[in-house]
Amino acid sequence: MSTRKEKCSWCRTKVRVPIEAQSVNCPACGTVFVVPRRNSGYNQNSGYYQQPAAPQATNQYPSYYQQPVTTPLTSNQNNYSYGRPFSTPTTNNYNGSYQQASPPYQQPQISAPPAQHNGYSWQQQIAPQVAPPQVFGKKRAVLCGVSYLGQKGSLKGSLNDATSMKKFLLNSMGFPSASIIVLTEEDLDIYRTPTRRNIEMALRWLVEGCQSGDSLVFYYSGHASRTVDLSGDEMDGYDELLCPVDYKIAGKISDDEINATIVHPLPRGAKLHAISDTCFSGTIVDLPFMFRMNWQGAVWEDHRVQYNSYKGTNGGQAISISACDDHQNSGDTTYFTGESGGALTYSLIHAVEHEPNLTYGRLLNVMSQKISEAQRQLGQPPQMPQLSSSEKFDVFSKRFVL
């Protein structure tokens, strides 16, 4: 079989592929990248394609126009790479203007309709077209809505939650559409389904190249669980876990992993909001300080464990708003709109859109009142939204801004 050499668009490893191949899985890094179709010009000795020499110019042009052009084939002639999930090449010397980058999470488009969902596998056909690079600004977001289609315990409201949050970020918070990644099972693109690998890649993209002045959002609606903490960094003795759509095969994502991926690298001047509409989510991002309002008043609890790993940022501020405490459950409700959705998602969006200049303390109060109202009417167990942060601040004076 005739083969040719192509470079992986992610790790640049040379891979030998069949002449007629349209895509290939890199044996070095595991990335599936699209192989451009070529009709002629293949050099058996070098393993690369060469463009035909430019036709000789006539004598009326200077001689330097008559040089033939020979260019090794790259993965794309327009200077952007195929196949790397969430690639955002940036520079460290931000000059106050937008940076040119590959579009967040651009992958080959899916052209075939999905086969029957079984929770973790779909059948589809990859078409080798990739959109050109786009420009995004200082705001970016990753939104995950996990429905668990075809599995026991499937959720009806997660897709509605992710859709509502995207509209909120676009219309009320000024996020550009190109800077929002949405992971749902309803998306036919295999790279936009909320698998463990895709969520982890999206989180890495979220903080990649982050600089002072950036505003990041991680939103999750789906199942979560708890497990015994083996590292000794939890005051209650339990780690909290997110459940990707393929968690039965690929495993769950722990609060330690989330903290290490999107909290620890956050530079000075950058801001992260993690919004979790799920069970056991009070400390799902593992931030050092938890805000409590009870009969004793409003206090910040210190959740740092002595002689254990650092759970703060690299100078930035991380804030978590979650649906309930670590020992509580959070479920879908039809109380507010008649459609299934998370109570936290609805109450947060409703409060911010209907009350200008909202502070974090006021937001927490309004969400608690809304959620308690729904629980009383439906006879559901208590669910108290939680606020945690990488640093203490005055919640009744600091405005909520994404």
Side-chain angles (χ1 to χ4, degrees):
M1 177 187 299
S2 298
T3 60
R4 67 176 188 262
K5 295 178 184 176
E6 293 288 351
K7 285 185 179 179
C8 172
S9 60
W10 172 222
C11 67
R12 311 306 294 170
T13 300
K14 294 180 181 179
V15 181
R16 188 169 291 278
V17 301
I19 290 291
E20 299 301 324
Q22 297 184 16
S23 63
V24 65
N25 185 19
C26 175
C29 68
T31 298
V32 177
F33 63 96
V34 176
V35 179
R37 298 180 67 111
R38 306 292 172 180
N39 296 324
S40 61
Y42 179 68
N43 189 316
Q44 293 283 357
N45 296 323
S46 67
Y48 290 98
Y49 282 88
Q50 294 182 328
Q51 296 178 356
Q56 296 293 322
T58 61
N59 293 333
Q60 59 181 329
Y61 294 103
S63 59
Y64 53 76
Y65 283 109
Q66 302 178 18
Q67 298 177 2
V69 179
T70 303
T71 306
L73 175 68
T74 60
S75 60
N76 186 278
Q77 298 285 336
N78 294 322
N79 296 326
Y80 60 90
S81 60
Y82 282 112
R84 178 189 174 190
F86 317 110
S87 61
T88 53
T90 59
T91 59
N92 293 325
N93 53 339
Y94 178 70
N95 59 6
S97 62
Y98 289 129
Q99 295 176 337
Q100 183 72 23
S102 297
Y105 206 51
Q106 288 292 339
Q107 288 290 345
Q109 301 298 312
I110 304 304
S111 60
Q116 182 178 1
H117 286 277
N118 63 5
Y120 354 94
S121 63
W122 298 265
Q123 295 178 356
Q124 63 277 106
Q125 180 178 356
I126 296 178
Q129 289 92 21
V130 178
Q134 301 176 14
V135 175
F136 58 84
K138 303 291 289 180
K139 296 185 175 185
R140 69 184 86 165
V142 170
L143 315 179
C144 300
V146 193
S147 302
Y148 311 94
L149 299 177
Q151 301 186 57
K152 183 179 180 180
S154 61
L155 298 174
K156 298 179 179 179
S158 296
L159 176 62
N160 295 333
D161 288 343
T163 302
S164 297
M165 185 57 64
K166 181 179 180 180
K167 291 179 180 177
F168 170 66
L169 295 179
L170 290 173
N171 301 331
S172 301
M173 295 289 107
F175 277 66
S177 179
S179 299
I180 300 177
I181 293 173
V182 182
L183 304 180
T184 66
E185 291 148 86
E186 286 75 6
D187 197 311
L188 302 184
D189 189 336
I190 58 173
Y191 298 102
R192 290 182 181 264
T193 55
T195 62
R196 174 177 177 136
R197 175 177 172 81
N198 286 347
I199 294 176
E200 289 174 341
M201 292 294 289
L203 293 180
R204 286 195 285 270
W205 167 85
L206 186 64
V207 297
E208 183 179 352
C210 181
Q211 302 176 44
S212 178
D214 287 358
S215 177
L216 315 178
V217 172
F218 170 53
Y219 172 82
Y220 177 86
S221 176
H223 284 312
S225 65
R226 308 174 77 195
T227 188
V228 175
D229 170 42
L230 301 179
S231 61
D233 62 352
E234 298 284 351
M235 293 189 66
D236 62 355
Y238 289 91
D239 279 323
E240 287 67 47
L241 310 167
L242 298 184
C243 300
V245 65
D246 59 345
Y247 73 94
K248 294 179 181 178
I249 296 176
K252 303 172 184 178
I253 303 174
S254 73
D255 51 4
D256 294 333
E257 296 175 73
I258 298 171
N259 182 279
T261 304
I262 61 176
V263 174
H264 188 67
L266 201 66
R268 185 173 302 278
K271 182 171 56 177
L272 165 72
H273 283 85
I275 303 171
S276 310
D277 202 343
T278 184
C279 303
F280 316 117
S281 54
T283 60
I284 195 65
V285 191
D286 244 6
L287 298 179
F289 302 101
M290 172 74 73
F291 183 76
R292 300 287 194 188
M293 288 191 296
N294 51 38
W295 62 273
Q296 295 178 327
V299 295
W300 283 100
E301 291 182 355
D302 192 339
H303 280 229
R304 293 173 295 181
V305 178
Q306 193 175 15
Y307 308 120
N308 215 296
S309 58
Y310 176 67
K311 291 303 181 75
T313 69
N314 192 28
Q317 184 175 21
I319 296 174
S320 171
I321 299 174
S322 52
C324 59
D325 211 338
D326 284 340
H327 64 279
Q328 294 179 327
N329 289 303
S330 170
D332 287 347
T333 180
T334 59
Y335 177 76
F336 297 110
T337 64
E339 295 183 350
S340 291
L344 174 84
T345 302
Y346 174 85
S347 60
L348 186 149
I349 294 174
H350 185 271
V352 175
E353 290 184 337
H354 289 79
E355 190 168 335
N357 301 321
L358 203 66
T359 65
Y360 284 89
R362 176 61 180 163
L363 174 62
L364 201 59
N365 281 329
V366 172
M367 291 191 302
S368 298
Q369 293 170 7
K370 276 283 183 185
I371 294 174
S372 296
E373 174 189 334
Q375 291 169 331
R376 286 194 301 270
Q377 294 295 327
L378 301 176
Q380 295 177 339
Q383 171 189 337
M384 292 298 295
Q386 303 294 316
L387 173 69
S388 60
S389 175
S390 58
E391 59 189 58
K392 299 178 183 180
F393 63 91
D394 186 350
V395 299
F396 296 105
S397 63
K398 186 180 181 68
R399 288 181 55 201
F400 174 80
V401 179
L402 296 181

